[in-house]
Amino acid sequence: MTELDVLEQELLKPSDALVADMAKIEGDIIILGVGGKMGPSMAKLARKAIDMAGIDKRVIGISRFSEAGTREELEVEGIETISADLLDEDQLASLPDAPNILYLAGTKFGTTGKEPFTWAMNSYLPGRVAERYKNSRIVAFSTGNVYPFVSINSGGLSEEVTPAPVGEYGQSCLGRERVFQYFSERYQIPTLIYRLNYAIDLRYGVMLEIAKSVMADKPIDLTTGNVNVIWQGDANEIAIRSLLHCDVPANILNVTGPETLSVKWLAEQFGLLLDKKPQFVNEIQPIALLNNASKAHKLFGYPRVTVRQMIEMTVAWLQAGGKTINKPTHFQERKGQF
């Protein structure tokens, strides 16, 4: 393993707080939609925390597993896997029971032009899942895209702000939230709505996209000049620990880092490390999609991995020729078209 691999493995270890909380979470954990960007690392983190806590608990990952190798990668780590299309009623009904559900299923990229499928995945399916798992507690992933744009000087929007999503992706995600909220009260399902933006990993994310542009002398669009980010490992920890904070009515939680980051500043930091002069186009607009996650920080503490660490690791990863995933965040999108 390279020095960078060792560092990444160190950062992927469960915190003492996660291990302690895992011992309090009663029963097995099912991750629906485990094959996406965050699912595999979340499943592995949960498995490690269970082992470190010295308890007996299953982690079951469910997905269509359309990406080759993901299922085998999980099974090697001791995670049970089931291949299923959640939109197929019979397959959904045949899934095992578990007291704890981490709901990561959904669709975002390529949704423009496939609006009916987007609404089926993001708004219809949650109702079917809530009916199927009405005796469980559910952490349901959502997105900061349910919020309206806000002044870049505002500090971001907190959970009590009324959603007003731009575009059908954000609207369908609000539909997901409302459906889970409805069934939470109907069946008394302890639920937490997990509004995330944007998770950072060495293989994808806002920082990687900016760093790659700097490295390739590609102009960076400053129209959306400010963003929130959080290290994926920290986001995964918060998701798992949120199983202890599900409630009726559904609890709502913004999840991101504490900073409102300047895209221009990030590019300049990458430029210093890469010995490149970043190129910019367009003027920074006075509003952006920004979240205030102070509620999450009160519950779980500040993220362990800092912005400077993420910047330095991203550069080291790129310079080492590390593998990247071609799944852009489209954080610059301002019309909700993904």
Side-chain angles (χ1 to χ4, degrees), residues 97-101 129-138 187-190:
D97 293 326
N100 304 289
I101 306 297
V129 169
E131 289 272 11
R132 171 64 186 84
Y133 286 106
K134 59 188 170 206
N135 296 316
S136 305
R137 67 183 65 86
I138 301 173
Y187 293 127
Q188 296 297 291
I189 304 170

Side-chain angles (χ1 to χ4, degrees), residues 31-49:
I31 303 178
L32 296 174
V34 76
K37 287 194 293 189
M38 292 183 67
S41 61
M42 186 182 299
K44 294 173 191 176
L45 181 68
R47 184 70 261 167
K48 289 177 184 175

Side-chain angles (χ1 to χ4, degrees), residues 202-220 270 274 276 314-315 318 322-328:
L202 297 177
R203 295 158 187 81
Y204 77 90
V206 172
M207 286 203 181
L208 179 69
E209 292 166 25
I210 295 173
K212 286 173 71 175
S213 292
V214 173
M215 181 178 270
D217 297 311
K218 181 181 176 181
I220 296 164
F270 286 125
L274 292 166
K276 292 272 192 175
T314 299
V315 169
L318 280 175
K323 179 184 176 182
T324 60
I325 301 172
N326 186 28
K327 292 183 178 179

Side-chain angles (χ1 to χ4, degrees), residues 239-255:
I240 297 166
R241 295 177 67 193
S242 288
L243 287 165
L244 294 174
H245 297 274
C246 297
D247 205 352
V248 180
N251 196 0
I252 298 176
L253 191 70
N254 289 348
V255 179

Side-chain angles (χ1 to χ4, degrees), residues 108-109 145 149 166 198 205-211 213 218-227 263 281-283 285 287-289 327-338:
K108 179 177 182 179
F109 305 118
N145 287 87
F149 281 44
V166 176
Y198 289 96
V206 172
M207 286 203 181
L208 179 69
E209 292 166 25
I210 295 173
S213 292
K218 181 181 176 181
I220 296 164
D221 186 353
L222 290 181
T223 306
T224 296
N226 300 85
V227 292
V263 172
V281 294
N282 298 327
E283 295 294 321
Q285 295 302 296
I287 59 173
L289 187 67
K327 292 183 178 179
T329 59
H330 295 282
F331 73 92
Q332 306 97 330
E333 175 58 44
R334 301 179 69 83
K335 296 181 180 179
Q337 296 178 351
F338 298 97

Side-chain angles (χ1 to χ4, degrees), residues 9 11 16 25-26 31 59 61 83 108 127-128 134 142 147 229 234 236 270 273 306 308 311:
Q9 289 303 312
L11 293 174
D16 292 342
I25 297 169
E26 297 180 359
I31 303 178
V59 178
S83 179
K108 179 177 182 179
R128 307 310 307 136
K134 59 188 170 206
S142 186
Y147 288 118
V229 303
D234 288 320
N236 284 340
F270 286 125
L273 293 173
T306 68
R308 292 276 184 175
I311 291 170

Side-chain angles (χ1 to χ4, degrees), residues 19-285:
V19 174
D21 275 359
M22 186 62 81
K24 300 174 188 175
I25 297 169
E26 297 180 359
D28 298 333
I29 297 173
I30 284 179
I31 303 178
L32 296 174
V34 76
K37 287 194 293 189
M38 292 183 67
S41 61
M42 186 182 299
K44 294 173 191 176
L45 181 68
R47 184 70 261 167
K48 289 177 184 175
I50 290 165
D51 293 342
M52 290 174 66
I55 55 179
D56 183 20
K57 193 189 302 288
R58 300 161 68 198
V59 178
I60 304 167
I62 299 169
S63 171
R64 287 174 295 177
F65 292 109
S66 55
E67 190 168 324
T70 302
R71 190 173 188 179
E72 294 75 14
E73 175 188 331
L74 292 173
E75 290 177 348
V76 165
E77 299 288 338
I79 296 143
E80 300 175 42
T81 65
I82 298 172
S83 179
D85 181 353
L86 298 178
L87 281 172
D88 184 294
E89 196 68 24
D90 291 336
Q91 292 184 48
L92 178 61
S94 70
L95 297 179
D97 293 326
N100 304 289
I101 306 297
L102 292 167
Y103 182 87
L104 279 63
T107 187
K108 179 177 182 179
F109 305 118
T111 53
T112 298
K114 296 182 179 179
E115 288 81 3
F117 176 73
T118 298
W119 283 90
M121 276 297 297
N122 291 347
S123 300
Y124 167 77
L125 179 58
R128 307 310 307 136
V129 169
E131 289 272 11
R132 171 64 186 84
Y133 286 106
K134 59 188 170 206
N135 296 316
S136 305
R137 67 183 65 86
I138 301 173
V139 172
F141 266 55
S142 186
T143 170
N145 287 87
V146 299
Y147 288 118
F149 281 44
V150 66
S151 167
I152 59 177
N153 298 317
S154 68
L157 297 178
S158 51
E159 292 85 353
E160 62 271 12
V161 171
T162 301
V166 176
E168 290 203 43
Y169 165 68
Q171 292 164 7
S172 69
C173 289
L174 180 57
R176 174 198 297 150
E177 292 189 8
R178 296 303 191 216
V179 169
F180 272 121
Q181 288 174 311
Y182 168 76
F183 283 104
S184 173
E185 296 199 49
R186 178 176 178 180
Y187 293 127
Q188 296 297 291
I189 304 170
T191 301
L192 182 138
I193 306 295
Y194 181 101
R195 291 176 177 166
L196 172 68
N197 67 308
Y198 289 96
I200 298 298
D201 183 81
L202 297 177
R203 295 158 187 81
Y204 77 90
V206 172
M207 286 203 181
L208 179 69
E209 292 166 25
I210 295 173
K212 286 173 71 175
S213 292
V214 173
M215 181 178 270
D217 297 311
K218 181 181 176 181
I220 296 164
D221 186 353
L222 290 181
T223 306
T224 296
N226 300 85
V227 292
N228 302 129
V229 303
I230 183 170
W231 175 247
Q232 180 177 274
D234 288 320
N236 284 340
E237 286 224 358
I238 292 171
I240 297 166
R241 295 177 67 193
S242 288
L243 287 165
L244 294 174
H245 297 274
C246 297
D247 205 352
V248 180
N251 196 0
I252 298 176
L253 191 70
N254 289 348
V255 179
T256 195
E259 304 94 348
T260 295
L261 292 171
S262 158
V263 172
K264 185 173 185 290
W265 179 83
L266 285 171
E268 289 168 345
Q269 298 308 304
F270 286 125
L272 290 173
L273 293 173
L274 292 166
D275 195 24
K276 292 272 192 175
K277 184 173 177 59
Q279 300 178 35
F280 302 106
V281 294
N282 298 327
E283 295 294 321
I284 297 172
Q285 295 302 296

